[in-house]
Amino acid sequence: MEILVVGLNHKTAPVEVRERLSIPSHKTGEFLRTMGERGIFNERLLLSTCNRTEIYGVEKQANGAIDAAKRFLSEYGRLDLKTLEDKLYVLRQPHSVEHLFSVASGLDSMVVGETEITGQVKDAYLFAQKNQQTGKVLNALFQRSLRVAKNLRTHTGIGAKKVSVASVAVELAEKIFGKLEKTKVLVIGTGQMSTQVVKAMVARGAQPLIVSSRHFDRARELAAELGGEAVLYAHYEHRMKDVDIIIAATEAPRLIIHEDQARRWMRERHEKPLFMIDIAVPRNIDTAVEKLDNVYLYNIDDLSGITEKNLAFRESQIENCFDLVKAQTGHYMNWLCKEFGA
Amino acid sequence: METLTMLWLHTGLIWSAVLAMMLAAMSAGLYLVQSSQLKSKHPGKILLTLPSLDRLDRIHIQSLTTGFVLFLAGILSGLFWAERKESLNEVLKDPRAILSLLTCALYGVVLAFRASALSRGQKIAAGTVLIFFLLLASVFISHNINPVIIQDGSPTRTFGDDNGASWKFLS
Protein backbone atom coordinates (compact mmCIF):
# COMPACT_ATOMS: atom_id res chain seq x y z
CA MET A 1 0.00 0.00 0.00
CA GLU A 2 1.48 3.28 -1.11
CA ILE A 3 0.53 6.97 -1.14
CA LEU A 4 0.98 8.45 -4.61
CA VAL A 5 0.65 11.80 -6.31
CA VAL A 6 0.15 12.26 -10.02
CA GLY A 7 -0.17 15.83 -11.23
CA LEU A 8 1.19 18.98 -12.75
CA ASN A 9 1.63 22.55 -11.59
CA HIS A 10 2.86 26.00 -12.65
CA LYS A 11 6.47 24.80 -12.49
CA THR A 12 6.03 21.83 -14.80
CA ALA A 13 3.30 22.85 -17.22
CA PRO A 14 2.42 26.02 -19.14
CA VAL A 15 -0.99 27.61 -18.73
CA GLU A 16 -2.23 26.07 -22.02
CA VAL A 17 -1.87 22.60 -20.49
CA ARG A 18 -2.98 23.60 -16.99
CA GLU A 19 -6.23 25.08 -18.26
CA ARG A 20 -7.08 21.83 -20.08
CA LEU A 21 -6.72 19.95 -16.82
CA SER A 22 -8.29 22.55 -14.58
CA ILE A 23 -11.30 20.78 -13.12
CA PRO A 24 -14.06 23.07 -11.84
CA SER A 25 -15.55 22.25 -8.44
CA HIS A 26 -18.92 21.22 -9.92
CA LYS A 27 -17.19 18.50 -11.98
CA THR A 28 -14.99 17.16 -9.16
CA GLY A 29 -17.59 14.66 -7.97
CA GLU A 30 -18.03 13.15 -11.41
CA PHE A 31 -14.25 13.11 -11.94
CA LEU A 32 -13.65 11.14 -8.72
CA ARG A 33 -16.59 8.82 -9.29
CA THR A 34 -15.36 7.94 -12.79
CA MET A 35 -11.90 7.21 -11.38
CA GLY A 36 -13.50 5.00 -8.77
CA GLU A 37 -15.53 3.14 -11.39
CA ARG A 38 -12.36 2.47 -13.36
CA GLY A 39 -10.64 1.23 -10.21
CA ILE A 40 -7.95 3.93 -10.22
CA PHE A 41 -6.67 3.93 -6.62
CA ASN A 42 -8.35 2.54 -3.50
CA GLU A 43 -8.61 6.00 -1.97
CA ARG A 44 -8.49 9.10 -4.12
CA LEU A 45 -8.64 12.87 -3.88
CA LEU A 46 -8.45 15.65 -6.44
CA LEU A 47 -6.78 19.00 -5.79
CA SER A 48 -7.44 21.38 -8.66
CA THR A 49 -6.52 25.08 -8.46
CA CYS A 50 -5.49 27.61 -11.08
CA ASN A 51 -1.86 26.60 -10.62
CA ARG A 52 -2.08 22.86 -10.11
CA THR A 53 -4.05 19.69 -10.75
CA GLU A 54 -3.05 16.76 -8.56
CA ILE A 55 -4.55 13.37 -7.85
CA TYR A 56 -3.68 11.89 -4.48
CA GLY A 57 -4.21 8.16 -4.29
CA VAL A 58 -3.59 5.08 -2.19
CA GLU A 59 -2.91 1.83 -3.98
CA LYS A 60 -1.13 -1.51 -3.52
CA GLN A 61 -0.28 -1.95 -7.20
CA ALA A 62 1.36 1.42 -7.62
CA ASN A 63 2.71 1.14 -11.17
CA GLY A 64 -0.56 0.02 -12.72
CA ALA A 65 -2.50 2.76 -10.88
CA ILE A 66 -0.07 5.45 -11.95
CA ASP A 67 -0.39 4.49 -15.62
CA ALA A 68 -4.18 4.40 -15.32
CA ALA A 69 -4.22 7.83 -13.68
CA LYS A 70 -2.04 9.29 -16.41
CA ARG A 71 -4.28 7.83 -19.12
CA PHE A 72 -7.32 9.19 -17.35
CA LEU A 73 -5.87 12.71 -17.16
CA SER A 74 -4.84 12.58 -20.80
CA GLU A 75 -8.34 11.48 -21.76
CA TYR A 76 -10.02 14.13 -19.60
CA GLY A 77 -7.85 16.96 -20.93
CA ARG A 78 -7.87 15.62 -24.49
CA LEU A 79 -4.12 15.80 -24.49
CA ASP A 80 -1.68 13.46 -26.13
CA LEU A 81 -0.40 11.09 -23.43
CA LYS A 82 3.25 11.38 -24.45
CA THR A 83 3.10 15.19 -24.45
CA LEU A 84 1.30 15.18 -21.11
CA GLU A 85 3.72 12.76 -19.49
CA ASP A 86 6.54 15.30 -19.93
CA LYS A 87 4.57 17.77 -17.83
CA LEU A 88 3.38 15.35 -15.18
CA TYR A 89 5.17 14.43 -11.99
CA VAL A 90 4.67 11.20 -10.10
CA LEU A 91 5.66 11.06 -6.46
CA ARG A 92 5.80 8.02 -4.23
CA GLN A 93 5.88 8.00 -0.46
CA PRO A 94 7.54 9.50 1.48
CA HIS A 95 8.02 12.19 -1.21
CA SER A 96 4.29 12.29 -1.90
CA VAL A 97 3.62 12.96 1.80
CA GLU A 98 6.31 15.63 1.96
CA HIS A 99 4.92 17.19 -1.22
CA LEU A 100 1.41 17.49 0.21
CA PHE A 101 2.71 19.07 3.41
CA SER A 102 4.65 21.60 1.31
CA VAL A 103 1.64 22.31 -0.91
CA ALA A 104 -0.76 22.79 2.02
CA SER A 105 1.72 25.16 3.68
CA GLY A 106 2.09 27.29 0.55
CA LEU A 107 5.75 26.34 0.09
CA ASP A 108 5.08 25.06 -3.43
CA SER A 109 2.91 28.00 -4.45
CA MET A 110 3.71 30.63 -7.05
CA VAL A 111 3.62 33.20 -4.24
CA VAL A 112 5.49 31.44 -1.45
CA GLY A 113 3.59 31.26 1.82
CA GLU A 114 0.18 32.26 0.41
CA THR A 115 -2.71 31.03 2.52
CA GLU A 116 -5.40 30.45 -0.11
CA ILE A 117 -3.96 27.03 -0.94
CA THR A 118 -4.52 25.77 2.62
CA GLY A 119 -8.22 26.49 2.22
CA GLN A 120 -8.23 24.81 -1.17
CA VAL A 121 -6.56 21.69 0.25
CA LYS A 122 -9.12 21.65 3.06
CA ASP A 123 -12.04 22.01 0.62
CA ALA A 124 -10.65 19.27 -1.64
CA TYR A 125 -10.29 16.94 1.35
CA LEU A 126 -13.76 17.66 2.77
CA PHE A 127 -15.32 17.11 -0.66
CA ALA A 128 -13.57 13.76 -1.21
CA GLN A 129 -14.38 12.63 2.31
CA LYS A 130 -18.03 13.59 1.97
CA ASN A 131 -18.22 11.61 -1.27
CA GLN A 132 -16.60 8.59 0.38
CA GLN A 133 -13.52 8.72 -1.81
CA THR A 134 -11.05 8.80 1.08
CA GLY A 135 -10.24 6.19 3.70
CA LYS A 136 -8.13 5.92 6.80
CA VAL A 137 -4.83 6.75 5.04
CA LEU A 138 -5.85 9.87 3.14
CA ASN A 139 -8.02 11.09 6.05
CA ALA A 140 -5.04 10.97 8.40
CA LEU A 141 -2.71 12.43 5.75
CA PHE A 142 -4.86 15.45 4.86
CA GLN A 143 -5.82 16.19 8.45
CA ARG A 144 -2.14 16.18 9.34
CA SER A 145 -1.28 18.37 6.32
CA LEU A 146 -3.63 21.07 7.61
CA ARG A 147 -2.03 20.86 11.06
CA VAL A 148 1.42 21.13 9.47
CA ALA A 149 0.34 24.23 7.54
CA LYS A 150 -0.94 25.83 10.74
CA ASN A 151 2.19 24.81 12.60
CA LEU A 152 4.47 26.37 10.01
CA ARG A 153 2.52 29.58 10.05
CA THR A 154 2.80 29.76 13.82
CA HIS A 155 6.44 28.79 14.20
CA THR A 156 8.07 30.40 11.18
CA GLY A 157 7.77 33.73 9.37
CA ILE A 158 6.47 32.14 6.16
CA GLY A 159 3.15 33.98 6.26
CA ALA A 160 4.26 36.96 8.30
CA LYS A 161 4.39 39.66 5.65
CA LYS A 162 2.16 40.72 2.78
CA VAL A 163 3.43 40.01 -0.70
CA SER A 164 0.89 41.52 -3.08
CA VAL A 165 0.57 45.20 -3.95
CA ALA A 166 -3.09 45.21 -2.88
CA SER A 167 -2.46 43.58 0.49
CA VAL A 168 0.52 45.86 1.20
CA ALA A 169 -1.66 48.90 0.39
CA VAL A 170 -4.34 47.62 2.78
CA GLU A 171 -1.77 46.98 5.50
CA LEU A 172 -0.39 50.50 5.16
CA ALA A 173 -3.90 51.96 5.25
CA GLU A 174 -4.60 50.02 8.44
CA LYS A 175 -1.38 51.36 9.95
CA ILE A 176 -2.68 54.86 9.32
CA PHE A 177 -6.41 54.56 10.03
CA GLY A 178 -6.70 51.41 12.11
CA LYS A 179 -9.87 49.64 11.02
CA LEU A 180 -10.98 50.70 7.56
CA GLU A 181 -14.70 50.51 8.32
CA LYS A 182 -15.03 54.27 8.72
CA THR A 183 -12.75 55.23 5.86
CA LYS A 184 -13.72 56.39 2.38
CA VAL A 185 -11.56 55.41 -0.53
CA LEU A 186 -11.68 57.39 -3.75
CA VAL A 187 -10.45 55.61 -6.86
CA ILE A 188 -9.60 57.61 -9.95
CA GLY A 189 -9.44 55.22 -12.87
CA THR A 190 -10.92 51.80 -13.32
CA GLY A 191 -7.91 49.73 -14.39
CA GLN A 192 -7.14 46.21 -13.22
CA MET A 193 -4.62 47.16 -10.55
CA SER A 194 -6.74 49.92 -8.99
CA THR A 195 -9.73 47.56 -8.99
CA GLN A 196 -7.68 44.94 -7.11
CA VAL A 197 -6.53 47.45 -4.52
CA VAL A 198 -9.98 48.93 -3.94
CA LYS A 199 -11.52 45.46 -3.69
CA ALA A 200 -9.00 44.54 -1.02
CA MET A 201 -9.87 47.72 0.87
CA VAL A 202 -13.61 47.21 0.51
CA ALA A 203 -13.15 43.66 1.85
CA ARG A 204 -11.81 45.35 5.00
CA GLY A 205 -14.83 47.61 5.27
CA ALA A 206 -13.81 50.77 3.37
CA GLN A 207 -16.50 52.68 1.45
CA PRO A 208 -15.59 53.17 -2.21
CA LEU A 209 -16.14 56.19 -4.47
CA ILE A 210 -15.27 55.39 -8.06
CA VAL A 211 -14.26 58.19 -10.40
CA SER A 212 -13.71 57.93 -14.11
CA SER A 213 -13.53 60.55 -16.81
CA ARG A 214 -13.41 58.26 -19.85
CA HIS A 215 -15.29 55.14 -18.75
CA PHE A 216 -18.08 56.35 -16.48
CA ASP A 217 -20.20 53.29 -17.28
CA ARG A 218 -17.43 51.09 -16.01
CA ALA A 219 -17.14 53.25 -12.89
CA ARG A 220 -20.87 52.78 -12.32
CA GLU A 221 -20.57 49.01 -12.78
CA LEU A 222 -17.66 48.78 -10.38
CA ALA A 223 -19.42 50.98 -7.84
CA ALA A 224 -22.49 48.77 -8.04
CA GLU A 225 -20.36 45.65 -7.65
CA LEU A 226 -18.56 47.04 -4.62
CA GLY A 227 -21.55 48.73 -3.04
CA GLY A 228 -20.11 52.20 -3.53
CA GLU A 229 -20.85 55.31 -5.52
CA ALA A 230 -19.72 56.44 -8.96
CA VAL A 231 -18.64 60.07 -9.18
CA LEU A 232 -18.08 62.18 -12.27
CA TYR A 233 -14.50 63.34 -12.72
CA ALA A 234 -15.64 66.97 -12.77
CA HIS A 235 -17.20 66.59 -9.31
CA TYR A 236 -14.74 64.49 -7.39
CA GLU A 237 -12.94 67.42 -5.73
CA HIS A 238 -16.14 68.36 -3.91
CA ARG A 239 -16.00 64.99 -2.16
CA MET A 240 -12.41 65.30 -0.93
CA LYS A 241 -13.51 66.57 2.48
CA ASP A 242 -14.75 63.08 3.40
CA VAL A 243 -12.10 61.01 1.65
CA ASP A 244 -9.29 59.27 3.58
CA ILE A 245 -7.60 57.26 0.84
CA ILE A 246 -7.02 58.17 -2.82
CA ILE A 247 -6.00 55.62 -5.40
CA ALA A 248 -4.89 57.29 -8.62
CA ALA A 249 -4.60 54.96 -11.58
CA THR A 250 -5.54 56.77 -14.75
CA GLU A 251 -3.94 56.54 -18.16
CA ALA A 252 -3.46 60.31 -18.22
CA PRO A 253 0.03 61.19 -19.52
CA ARG A 254 0.39 63.99 -16.95
CA LEU A 255 -0.08 64.81 -13.27
CA ILE A 256 -3.71 65.08 -12.24
CA ILE A 257 -3.14 65.93 -8.55
CA HIS A 258 -0.83 68.82 -7.73
CA GLU A 259 0.69 70.02 -4.46
CA ASP A 260 -1.46 73.16 -4.13
CA GLN A 261 -4.57 71.08 -4.71
CA ALA A 262 -3.56 68.59 -2.00
CA ARG A 263 -2.68 71.45 0.36
CA ARG A 264 -6.17 72.91 -0.13
CA TRP A 265 -7.80 69.53 0.46
CA MET A 266 -5.82 69.07 3.66
CA ARG A 267 -7.10 72.42 4.97
CA GLU A 268 -10.66 71.46 4.06
CA ARG A 269 -10.17 68.10 5.75
CA HIS A 270 -8.85 69.76 8.94
CA GLU A 271 -5.48 68.10 8.43
CA LYS A 272 -6.81 64.57 8.89
CA PRO A 273 -4.30 62.00 7.56
CA LEU A 274 -4.59 61.31 3.84
CA PHE A 275 -3.19 58.17 2.24
CA MET A 276 -2.44 58.60 -1.47
CA ILE A 277 -1.63 55.63 -3.67
CA ASP A 278 -0.33 56.43 -7.13
CA ILE A 279 -0.25 53.24 -9.17
CA ALA A 280 -0.33 54.95 -12.54
CA VAL A 281 2.57 55.01 -14.97
CA PRO A 282 3.26 57.80 -15.83
CA ARG A 283 2.52 59.00 -12.31
CA ASN A 284 -0.68 60.93 -11.60
CA ILE A 285 0.26 62.58 -8.28
CA ASP A 286 2.90 65.25 -7.86
CA THR A 287 5.64 63.86 -5.57
CA ALA A 288 5.79 67.25 -3.80
CA VAL A 289 2.59 66.33 -1.91
CA GLU A 290 4.55 63.90 0.26
CA LYS A 291 6.18 66.89 1.96
CA LEU A 292 2.81 67.91 3.38
CA ASP A 293 2.14 66.97 6.99
CA ASN A 294 -0.19 64.01 7.44
CA VAL A 295 -0.03 63.07 3.76
CA TYR A 296 1.38 59.62 2.99
CA LEU A 297 2.13 59.07 -0.69
CA TYR A 298 3.13 55.70 -2.13
CA ASN A 299 3.68 55.02 -5.82
CA ILE A 300 3.79 51.63 -7.56
CA ASP A 301 7.56 51.29 -7.04
CA ASP A 302 7.24 52.01 -3.32
CA LEU A 303 4.59 49.30 -2.95
CA SER A 304 6.47 46.83 -5.16
CA GLY A 305 9.64 47.51 -3.16
CA ILE A 306 7.85 46.50 0.04
CA THR A 307 6.35 43.37 -1.53
CA GLU A 308 9.77 42.31 -2.86
CA LYS A 309 11.34 42.84 0.55
CA ASN A 310 8.56 40.84 2.19
CA LEU A 311 8.86 38.07 -0.38
CA ALA A 312 12.61 37.89 0.21
CA PHE A 313 11.87 37.54 3.93
CA ARG A 314 9.45 34.69 3.25
CA GLU A 315 11.99 32.97 1.02
CA SER A 316 14.56 33.22 3.80
CA GLN A 317 12.18 31.12 5.91
CA ILE A 318 11.84 28.30 3.39
CA GLU A 319 14.79 26.22 4.60
CA ASN A 320 13.46 26.27 8.14
CA CYS A 321 10.01 25.31 6.83
CA PHE A 322 11.31 22.35 4.85
CA ASP A 323 13.10 21.07 7.95
CA LEU A 324 9.77 21.11 9.79
CA VAL A 325 8.00 19.49 6.83
CA LYS A 326 10.62 16.68 6.75
CA ALA A 327 10.20 16.09 10.47
CA GLN A 328 6.41 15.93 10.11
CA THR A 329 6.75 13.57 7.13
CA GLY A 330 8.84 11.30 9.35
CA HIS A 331 6.13 11.33 12.06
CA TYR A 332 3.45 10.49 9.53
CA MET A 333 5.48 7.68 7.96
CA ASN A 334 6.07 6.19 11.42
CA TRP A 335 2.32 6.26 12.05
CA LEU A 336 1.69 4.64 8.67
CA CYS A 337 4.21 1.87 9.42
CA LYS A 338 2.61 1.15 12.77
CA GLU A 339 -0.90 1.06 11.32
CA PHE A 340 -0.31 -0.84 8.10
CA GLY A 341 3.19 -2.22 8.41
CA ALA A 342 4.02 -0.54 5.10
CA MET B 1 -6.29 69.87 58.81
CA GLU B 2 -8.33 71.53 56.11
CA THR B 3 -5.12 73.02 54.71
CA LEU B 4 -3.42 69.65 54.73
CA THR B 5 -6.34 68.10 52.83
CA MET B 6 -6.08 70.91 50.31
CA LEU B 7 -2.35 70.26 49.94
CA TRP B 8 -2.92 66.54 49.38
CA LEU B 9 -5.57 67.33 46.82
CA HIS B 10 -3.24 69.78 45.05
CA THR B 11 -0.30 67.34 45.07
CA GLY B 12 -2.47 64.41 44.00
CA LEU B 13 -3.94 66.35 41.11
CA ILE B 14 -0.56 67.61 39.92
CA TRP B 15 1.05 64.14 40.02
CA SER B 16 -1.93 62.55 38.29
CA ALA B 17 -1.60 65.24 35.62
CA VAL B 18 2.11 64.49 35.23
CA LEU B 19 1.31 60.78 34.76
CA ALA B 20 -1.36 61.56 32.17
CA MET B 21 1.02 63.94 30.38
CA MET B 22 3.69 61.25 30.44
CA LEU B 23 1.28 58.87 28.69
CA ALA B 24 0.39 61.64 26.22
CA ALA B 25 4.07 62.33 25.52
CA MET B 26 4.80 58.62 25.04
CA SER B 27 1.92 58.11 22.63
CA ALA B 28 2.86 61.34 20.82
CA GLY B 29 6.47 60.12 20.53
CA LEU B 30 5.29 56.79 19.14
CA TYR B 31 3.01 58.68 16.73
CA LEU B 32 6.04 60.58 15.43
CA VAL B 33 8.03 57.34 15.04
CA GLN B 34 5.15 55.60 13.25
CA SER B 35 4.51 58.61 11.07
CA SER B 36 8.17 58.92 10.04
CA GLN B 37 8.25 55.18 9.27
CA LEU B 38 5.28 55.61 6.97
CA LYS B 39 6.77 58.70 5.36
CA SER B 40 10.10 56.93 4.79
CA LYS B 41 8.37 54.30 2.60
CA HIS B 42 10.74 51.69 3.99
CA PRO B 43 8.72 50.51 6.94
CA GLY B 44 10.65 48.27 9.29
CA LYS B 45 9.70 45.99 12.14
CA ILE B 46 8.64 48.96 14.27
CA LEU B 47 5.79 49.73 11.88
CA LEU B 48 4.32 46.28 12.30
CA THR B 49 4.67 46.37 16.07
CA LEU B 50 3.18 49.77 16.79
CA PRO B 51 -0.56 50.50 16.79
CA SER B 52 -2.09 52.56 13.98
CA LEU B 53 -1.66 56.33 13.81
CA ASP B 54 -5.37 56.73 14.51
CA ARG B 55 -5.15 54.71 17.73
CA LEU B 56 -2.00 56.50 18.88
CA ASP B 57 -3.66 59.84 18.14
CA ARG B 58 -6.71 58.89 20.19
CA ILE B 59 -4.59 57.76 23.17
CA HIS B 60 -2.53 60.93 22.84
CA ILE B 61 -5.48 63.32 22.77
CA GLN B 62 -7.45 61.54 25.51
CA SER B 63 -4.50 61.49 27.89
CA LEU B 64 -3.59 65.07 26.97
CA THR B 65 -7.13 66.26 27.71
CA THR B 66 -7.24 64.33 30.99
CA GLY B 67 -3.80 65.65 31.94
CA PHE B 68 -4.77 69.21 31.11
CA VAL B 69 -7.95 69.08 33.21
CA LEU B 70 -6.06 67.54 36.16
CA PHE B 71 -3.24 70.03 35.78
CA LEU B 72 -5.65 72.95 35.68
CA ALA B 73 -7.53 71.61 38.70
CA GLY B 74 -4.21 71.11 40.51
CA ILE B 75 -3.11 74.66 39.81
CA LEU B 76 -6.49 76.10 40.80
CA SER B 77 -6.52 74.11 44.06
CA GLY B 78 -2.99 75.40 44.76
CA LEU B 79 -4.01 78.97 44.09
CA PHE B 80 -7.14 78.57 46.17
CA TRP B 81 -5.09 77.22 49.02
CA ALA B 82 -2.59 80.10 48.72
CA GLU B 83 -5.44 82.57 48.63
CA ARG B 84 -6.85 81.13 51.83
CA LYS B 85 -3.44 81.53 53.38
CA GLU B 86 -3.47 85.11 52.11
CA SER B 87 -0.27 84.50 50.15
CA LEU B 88 -1.57 84.38 46.62
CA ASN B 89 0.54 87.32 45.45
CA GLU B 90 3.73 85.73 46.72
CA VAL B 91 2.92 82.34 45.26
CA LEU B 92 2.28 83.96 41.89
CA LYS B 93 5.83 85.27 41.97
CA ASP B 94 7.19 81.79 42.68
CA PRO B 95 9.10 80.55 39.56
CA ARG B 96 7.57 77.09 40.03
CA ALA B 97 4.09 78.48 39.92
CA ILE B 98 4.92 80.65 36.90
CA LEU B 99 6.44 77.68 35.06
CA SER B 100 3.46 75.50 35.94
CA LEU B 101 1.03 78.13 34.68
CA LEU B 102 3.05 78.53 31.50
CA THR B 103 3.15 74.76 30.94
CA CYS B 104 -0.57 74.48 31.55
CA ALA B 105 -1.24 77.37 29.17
CA LEU B 106 0.89 75.74 26.46
CA TYR B 107 -0.97 72.46 26.86
CA GLY B 108 -4.17 74.48 26.56
CA VAL B 109 -2.92 76.04 23.31
CA VAL B 110 -2.05 72.60 21.89
CA LEU B 111 -5.47 71.26 22.81
CA ALA B 112 -7.21 74.32 21.41
CA PHE B 113 -5.38 73.88 18.09
CA ARG B 114 -6.36 70.24 18.00
CA ALA B 115 -9.97 70.89 19.03
CA SER B 116 -10.42 73.67 16.50
CA ALA B 117 -8.90 71.33 13.90
CA LEU B 118 -6.36 73.95 12.86
CA SER B 119 -3.67 71.39 13.27
CA ARG B 120 -3.30 67.73 14.09
CA GLY B 121 -1.01 64.80 13.59
CA GLN B 122 2.72 65.36 13.56
CA LYS B 123 2.73 69.02 14.69
CA ILE B 124 0.44 68.40 17.66
CA ALA B 125 2.41 65.30 18.64
CA ALA B 126 5.69 67.22 18.45
CA GLY B 127 4.11 70.01 20.55
CA THR B 128 3.06 67.54 23.24
CA VAL B 129 6.55 66.02 23.42
CA LEU B 130 8.22 69.45 23.65
CA ILE B 131 5.86 70.72 26.34
CA PHE B 132 6.39 67.53 28.31
CA PHE B 133 10.08 68.45 28.53
CA LEU B 134 8.98 71.81 29.92
CA LEU B 135 6.81 69.97 32.43
CA LEU B 136 9.78 67.81 33.43
CA ALA B 137 11.85 70.98 33.82
CA SER B 138 9.09 72.37 35.99
CA VAL B 139 9.11 69.25 38.19
CA PHE B 140 12.92 69.33 38.32
CA ILE B 141 12.95 72.98 39.38
CA SER B 142 10.29 72.24 42.00
CA HIS B 143 12.63 69.77 43.62
CA ASN B 144 15.69 71.96 43.42
CA ILE B 145 14.43 75.42 44.34
CA ASN B 146 13.05 75.99 47.79
CA PRO B 147 9.53 77.21 47.68
CA VAL B 148 7.71 79.96 49.39
CA ILE B 149 7.35 79.13 53.06
CA ILE B 150 4.14 80.24 54.56
CA GLN B 151 4.20 81.09 58.18
CA ASP B 152 1.00 82.25 59.77
CA GLY B 153 -0.10 83.68 56.49
CA SER B 154 3.16 85.65 56.11
CA PRO B 155 5.06 84.37 53.13
CA THR B 156 8.83 84.55 53.09
CA ARG B 157 11.07 83.74 50.13
CA THR B 158 13.64 81.16 51.05
CA PHE B 159 15.94 80.93 48.05
CA GLY B 160 19.37 79.80 49.17
CA ASP B 161 18.19 78.11 52.36
CA ASP B 162 20.05 74.94 53.07
CA ASN B 163 17.29 73.28 54.96
CA GLY B 164 16.02 71.44 51.88
CA ALA B 165 12.52 72.31 52.96
CA SER B 166 9.53 71.77 50.83
CA TRP B 167 6.21 73.10 51.99
CA LYS B 168 5.99 73.94 55.65
CA PHE B 169 2.78 74.64 57.43
CA LEU B 170 2.58 76.37 60.72
CA SER B 171 -0.84 76.77 62.15
Side-chain angles (χ1 to χ4, degrees):
Chain A
M1 196 256 337
E2 203 172 349
I3 299 168
L4 303 155
V5 181
V6 179
L8 48 78
N9 65 20
H10 59 281
K11 293 175 191 168
T12 65
V15 67
E16 298 80 33
V17 177
R18 294 206 309 274
E19 67 192 5
R20 301 283 286 270
L21 284 173
S22 173
I23 296 140
S25 55
H26 66 273
K27 287 190 176 171
T28 306
E30 187 196 334
F31 184 92
L32 289 173
R33 266 194 306 280
T34 312
M35 276 181 79
E37 283 160 15
R38 294 190 186 184
I40 306 172
F41 300 130
N42 292 326
E43 295 179 36
R44 64 200 72 78
L45 185 150
L46 173 71
L47 176 65
S48 179
T49 70
C50 51
N51 282 329
R52 70 182 65 243
T53 298
E54 290 176 341
I55 301 168
Y56 289 81
V58 178
E59 180 59 65
K60 279 184 183 165
Q61 306 297 324
N63 289 336
I66 289 166
D67 289 341
K70 282 180 180 176
R71 277 198 303 276
F72 184 67
L73 281 173
S74 142
E75 195 182 307
Y76 182 90
R78 291 174 193 164
L79 289 159
D80 174 53
L81 182 59
K82 277 206 166 175
T83 315
L84 181 63
E85 270 186 323
D86 293 342
K87 319 282 185 234
L88 285 174
Y89 44 84
V90 177
L91 300 169
R92 292 165 173 249
Q93 67 186 43
H95 303 296
S96 52
V97 174
E98 195 176 316
H99 176 75
L100 173 65
F101 291 172
S102 303
V103 169
S105 309
L107 300 178
D108 199 48
S109 297
M110 193 179 267
V111 179
V112 176
E114 55 107 357
T115 52
E116 199 183 355
I117 187 70
T118 312
Q120 289 167 329
V121 168
K122 189 179 179 182
D123 291 344
Y125 165 59
L126 290 176
F127 185 87
Q129 189 209 29
K130 195 178 160 191
N131 287 276
Q132 286 136 12
Q133 301 290 327
T134 60
K136 194 173 183 179
V137 177
L138 285 188
N139 284 342
L141 177 66
F142 274 79
Q143 284 166 18
R144 187 179 281 263
S145 76
L146 297 172
R147 284 202 300 275
V148 170
K150 192 179 172 189
N151 206 10
L152 253 65
R153 211 152 282 283
T154 313
H155 294 104
T156 71
I158 195 69
K161 297 183 175 189
K162 311 290 180 199
V163 290
S164 74
V165 166
S167 56
V168 166
V170 168
E171 189 174 48
L172 289 168
E174 285 180 333
K175 280 292 163 194
I176 297 171
F177 303 105
K179 287 180 181 170
L180 299 186
E181 280 144 17
K182 288 179 185 167
T183 58
K184 276 215 164 109
V185 50
L186 184 127
V187 194
I188 310 172
T190 51
Q192 192 186 2
M193 181 71 93
S194 62
T195 305
Q196 274 176 14
V197 178
V198 74
K199 277 184 178 171
M201 292 203 176
V202 169
R204 296 296 203 138
Q207 294 293 310
L209 295 172
I210 318 291
V211 178
S212 181
S213 57
R214 293 169 61 192
H215 309 288
F216 192 66
D217 285 347
R218 186 158 155 63
R220 264 206 296 243
E221 276 170 32
L222 190 60
E225 186 190 332
L226 299 175
E229 192 184 337
V231 180
L232 283 166
Y233 187 81
H235 296 160
Y236 89 89
E237 285 209 60
H238 303 303
R239 308 297 296 270
M240 281 310 300
K241 200 178 163 189
D242 305 320
V243 168
D244 304 291
I245 302 164
I246 299 177
I247 301 168
T250 74
E251 290 169 1
R254 58 185 164 78
L255 297 176
I256 60 164
I257 296 173
H258 299 270
E259 188 195 355
D260 54 341
Q261 233 173 333
R263 197 183 289 277
R264 196 177 67 242
W265 294 342
M266 288 304 283
R267 271 199 303 272
E268 288 168 3
R269 302 173 65 260
H270 302 303
E271 302 291 328
K272 278 192 296 178
L274 180 63
F275 183 28
M276 301 176 104
I277 303 168
D278 186 357
I279 44 182
V281 179
R283 286 175 292 180
N284 286 168
I285 304 176
D286 185 355
T287 50
V289 305
E290 68 191 356
K291 290 178 197 148
L292 300 176
D293 278 350
N294 305 315
V295 173
Y296 304 93
L297 170 66
Y298 281 71
N299 65 34
I300 188 68
D301 279 2
D302 299 327
L303 295 172
S304 302
I306 296 171
T307 60
E308 278 163 24
K309 202 173 139 191
N310 291 351
L311 199 57
F313 175 79
R314 280 192 182 186
E315 278 162 4
S316 73
Q317 303 290 302
I318 286 179
E319 200 177 326
N320 191 12
C321 289
F322 276 118
D323 288 344
L324 289 169
V325 163
K326 277 196 170 70
Q328 289 295 327
T329 304
H331 290 314
Y332 180 79
M333 293 311 295
N334 286 342
W335 172 84
L336 204 62
C337 274
K338 276 181 198 161
E339 285 290 313
F340 300 96
Chain B
M1 186 64 189
E2 193 187 336
T3 320
L4 196 61
T5 309
M6 190 69 86
L7 176 70
W8 277 112
L9 180 68
H10 167 69
T11 314
L13 285 167
I14 291 292
W15 278 108
S16 304
V18 170
L19 285 176
M21 292 310 188
M22 193 183 286
L23 181 61
M26 279 166 60
S27 50
L30 292 176
Y31 186 100
L32 291 172
V33 171
Q34 181 78 308
S35 172
S36 66
Q37 284 266 306
L38 283 160
K39 281 266 185 193
S40 76
K41 300 179 186 182
H42 299 287
K45 276 183 186 169
I46 302 170
L47 183 89
L48 292 172
T49 324
L50 288 177
S52 66
L53 286 181
D54 180 66
R55 191 172 166 78
L56 287 170
D57 184 55
R58 273 188 283 124
I59 297 170
H60 166 213
I61 295 305
Q62 280 167 8
S63 47
L64 189 64
T65 310
T66 310
F68 177 72
V69 170
L70 291 169
F71 205 4
L72 197 61
I75 287 174
L76 290 175
S77 65
L79 293 176
F80 183 65
W81 166 72
E83 202 269 335
R84 288 192 64 166
K85 283 287 176 187
E86 294 174 1
S87 47
L88 182 59
N89 288 338
E90 283 302 316
V91 167
L92 287 175
K93 288 174 195 162
D94 188 328
R96 293 182 321 160
I98 295 166
L99 205 51
S100 296
L101 283 168
L102 178 68
T103 310
C104 189
L106 286 173
Y107 274 126
V109 170
V110 168
L111 269 177
F113 266 90
R114 178 61 166 76
S116 63
L118 283 171
S119 183
R120 66 163 73 203
Q122 289 136 297
K123 279 180 186 157
I124 294 289
T128 302
V129 173
L130 286 175
I131 300 167
F132 185 68
F133 284 117
L134 191 63
L135 183 66
L136 285 182
S138 167
V139 171
F140 178 78
I141 289 167
S142 298
H143 283 84
N144 288 282
I145 295 175
N146 290 325
V148 173
I149 294 180
I150 299 162
Q151 295 182 342
D152 292 322
S154 310
T156 315
R157 298 214 62 79
T158 59
F159 285 106
D161 278 4
D162 290 324
N163 57 7
S166 56
W167 298 97
K168 288 182 182 174
F169 302 95
L170 301 169
S171 57

